[in-house]
């Protein structure tokens, strides 16, 4: 017996014809999936290279097949993949087809919430993360906010003053205010993340009492003043303190909700 034969592993028999066909089909399917991802990447690169704006019509499916030299099924899979990611939408009807879109915070919220659900993360962790990020954004905004950003924040403050007696309107405007600070910070990564966290907490049943809403409003006014003066540390401190107070209110009004696991938020698009 040869040395090679001695060490030949006979515990794995050679596949028969049926098994080989099954393996070939699996390999073909994997290659098709990889090809679809490659085509999707190529389409995204082309959109970026040509600086195509949202709403721009792309080539019809059959034209993509001709240009890219791949199977129609591969193109269709690539388009479906990009549609799920929010990078385009498929327009139905005559003259329809793929149209450029832009992935929004709702897509990030969907992916992130699904991941956190499987990780058994609590809703409290979302609230705490949002508080921490918002404080950083306020500090950054003090060094980067433009006149237009400041005007937007003042307008948001004015709307919150009008909505002080309406808990739902006030909460919605408070979220817009934080998103406005995120925009003013110039940090797109943290800005889209905090907006996604807002969307993940959109179904909360926690409600601020009117005195708490007015206290939050006073804090937000101080944050805007600090941003206007370029006082980064003051903006960070006041924002963190305000959102910490909001968390304590949450603990009083909906303590069980905070300990619930994060639930998947499906994208609307």
């Amino acid at each position: 017996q040869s040395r090679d034969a001695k060490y030949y592993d006979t515990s794995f028999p050679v596949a028969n014809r049926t098994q080989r066909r099954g393996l070939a089909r699996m390999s073909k399917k994997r290659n098709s999936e990889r090809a679809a991802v490659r085509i999707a990447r190529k389409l995204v690169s082309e959109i970026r290279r040509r600086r195509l704006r949202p709403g721009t019509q792309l080539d019809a499916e059959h034209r993509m097949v001709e240009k890219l030299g791949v199977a129609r099924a591969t193109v269709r899979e690539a388009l479906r993949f990009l549609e799920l990611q929010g990078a385009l939408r498929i327009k139905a009807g005559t003259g329809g087809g793929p149209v450029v879109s832009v992935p929004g915070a709702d897509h990030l919220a969907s992916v992130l919430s699904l991941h956190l659900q499987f990780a058994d993360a609590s809703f409290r962790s979302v609230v705490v993360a949002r508080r921490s990020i918002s404080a950083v954004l306020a500090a950054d905004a003090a060094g980067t906010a433009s006149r237009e950003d400041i005007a937007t924040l003042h307008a948001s403050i004015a709307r919150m003053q009008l909505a002080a007696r309406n808990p739902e309107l006030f909460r919605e405007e408070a979220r817009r205010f934080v998103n406005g600070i995120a925009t003013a910070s110039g940090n797109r990564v943290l800005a889209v993340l905090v907006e996604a966290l807002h969307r993940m907490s959109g179904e909360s049943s926690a409600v601020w009492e009117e005195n708490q809403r007015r206290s939050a409003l006073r804090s937000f006014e101080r944050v805007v003043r600090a941003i206007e003066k370029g006082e980064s540390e003051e903006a960070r401190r006041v924002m963190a303190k305000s959102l910490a107070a909001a968390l304590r209110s949450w603990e009083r009004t909906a303590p069980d909700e905070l300990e619930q696991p994060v639930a998947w938020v499906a994208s609307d698009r």
Side-chain angles (χ1 to χ4, degrees):
Q1 189 178 31
S2 70
R3 182 180 179 85
D4 289 339
K6 180 179 178 180
Y7 291 99
Y8 183 75
D9 186 359
T10 58
S11 63
F12 297 95
V14 176
N16 59 36
R17 182 177 299 177
T18 301
Q19 291 171 326
R20 287 198 298 273
R21 286 175 178 170
L23 290 171
R25 283 195 297 271
M26 290 172 62
S27 177
K28 185 177 180 180
K29 182 178 180 181
R30 284 196 298 269
N31 288 337
S32 175
E33 289 173 347
R34 287 195 291 268
V37 173
R38 287 197 300 272
I39 295 302
R41 290 183 185 278
K42 188 174 292 186
L43 291 173
V44 169
S45 296
E46 183 68 7
I47 290 170
R48 291 291 298 159
R49 185 185 68 80
R50 295 171 58 192
R51 298 184 179 277
L52 300 180
R53 307 301 300 169
T56 302
Q57 184 94 30
L58 298 180
D59 286 332
E61 193 176 282
H62 71 277
R63 289 286 295 141
M64 289 187 181
V65 171
E66 294 172 1
K67 285 184 175 181
L68 299 170
V70 295
R72 191 172 194 131
T74 300
V75 170
R76 189 166 293 170
E77 182 67 22
L79 293 176
R80 177 58 179 157
F81 177 76
L82 292 178
E83 184 182 27
L84 289 172
Q85 302 304 315
L88 56 79
R89 57 186 175 84
I90 306 300
K91 184 180 177 182
T94 305
V99 177
V100 176
S101 185
V102 178
D106 54 338
H107 288 91
L108 178 58
S110 180
V111 173
L112 183 57
S113 60
L114 186 61
H115 173 81
L116 293 176
Q117 178 173 314
F118 279 103
D120 292 325
S122 69
F123 192 62
R124 177 188 292 272
S125 66
V126 172
V127 177
V128 170
R130 190 177 64 188
R131 179 187 66 185
S132 300
I133 294 171
S134 297
V136 171
L137 291 172
D140 288 348
T144 60
S146 66
R147 290 181 180 179
E148 290 76 13
D149 292 327
I150 297 296
T152 297
L153 294 177
H154 277 300
S156 183
I157 291 289
R159 288 192 294 270
M160 278 189 280
Q161 289 171 340
L162 294 174
R165 294 185 177 181
N166 186 314
E168 288 300 320
L169 289 179
F170 186 90
R171 182 169 67 171
E172 186 61 32
E173 191 56 49
R175 287 175 177 167
R176 289 198 192 99
F177 176 77
V178 175
N179 288 340
I181 287 179
T183 300
S185 76
N187 190 325
R188 277 302 301 159
V189 175
L190 292 184
V192 73
L193 179 55
V194 79
E195 187 176 350
L197 294 174
H198 279 156
R199 292 175 184 269
M200 289 167 60
S201 59
E203 301 302 319
S204 166
S205 61
V207 176
W208 290 358
E209 297 296 332
E210 184 174 347
N211 65 321
Q212 294 168 331
R213 294 194 293 274
R214 294 193 181 280
S215 176
L217 179 55
R218 288 191 294 271
S219 294
F220 291 159
E221 289 171 340
R222 291 171 60 194
V223 169
V224 175
R225 286 197 296 271
I227 290 174
E228 282 187 286
K229 295 177 180 178
E231 298 174 347
S232 295
E233 181 54 31
E234 177 68 3
R236 184 206 63 77
R237 186 188 68 80
V238 176
M239 178 61 84
K241 185 177 179 180
S242 175
L243 296 180
L247 177 57
R248 289 194 297 273
S249 174
W250 217 322
E251 290 170 336
R252 289 193 301 271
T253 59
D256 294 338
E257 188 176 75
L258 282 171
E259 306 312 322
Q260 290 296 313
V262 172
W264 179 42
V265 179
S267 173
D268 293 333
R269 296 169 60 187

